[in-house]
Amino acid sequence: FKLNTEPHVMNIPDHLRYAASHEWVRTESDGTLTVGISDFAQEQLGDLVFLEVPQVGRKLAAGEACAVVESVKAASDVNAPVAGEVVAANEALTDTLELVNKEPYNAWLFRLKPADPAAVAKLMDAAAYAKSIG
């Protein structure tokens, strides 16, 4: 039996935007934004044990804490990357938390209708995010 000592290679998809607080954002064809936590965030947290997603219809300010992810190590707020209204919440994820760890860019937490669609452009691109996490 040999321990895996290979460093985790951080996955930072180019087509997404990123907040300094480690949320990823994907703009959908209808203009809504899909939000989740980055590979870096799930790696720092470890195995998740609890998830709370925001209520549909909730209006959020940019940077407002709106969801909670909890692991055996720590609990962490998930912030709205831009201002907007929650139009969907991935309630099903609460039963399949391991997907956040295994596939952080498929396991979305909520969708937002942005108050200002141009605000997404102010978020970091993949290169800037990679630099921010070292």
Side-chain angles (χ1 to χ4, degrees):
F1 180 74
K2 194 172 128 250
L3 283 175
N4 179 7
T5 53
E6 291 295 310
H8 179 79
V9 176
M10 223 29 78
N11 180 10
I12 306 173
D14 283 340
H15 67 286
L16 302 175
R17 302 299 280 192
Y18 300 87
S21 49
H22 310 294
E23 293 83 16
W24 58 261
V25 178
R26 181 177 64 228
T27 302
E28 303 299 342
S29 58
D30 64 0
T32 61
L33 307 175
T34 298
V35 181
I37 63 169
S38 71
D39 190 24
F40 177 80
Q42 72 77 24
E43 177 80 3
Q44 296 299 303
L45 283 164
D47 291 340
L48 297 187
V49 294
F50 176 76
L51 168 69
E52 186 181 307
V53 291
Q55 288 287 104
V56 170
R58 182 172 164 190
K59 296 209 183 327
L60 300 169
E64 182 180 342
C66 61
V68 176
V69 285
E70 201 172 301
S71 72
V72 289
K73 291 189 209 171
S76 183
D77 286 333
V78 177
N79 301 321
V82 298
E85 182 181 338
V86 178
V87 293
N90 194 351
E91 298 280 353
L93 207 53
T94 58
D95 296 328
T96 53
L97 288 173
E98 66 279 1
L99 289 179
V100 176
N101 293 112
K102 287 183 188 146
E103 303 175 21
Y105 299 109
N106 289 329
W108 60 278
L109 304 183
F110 59 95
R111 292 201 166 110
L112 273 180
K113 181 179 181 189
D116 174 13
V120 176
K122 295 183 179 87
L123 297 172
M124 289 182 273
D125 63 15
Y129 183 66
K131 190 181 278 186
S132 80
I133 60 176

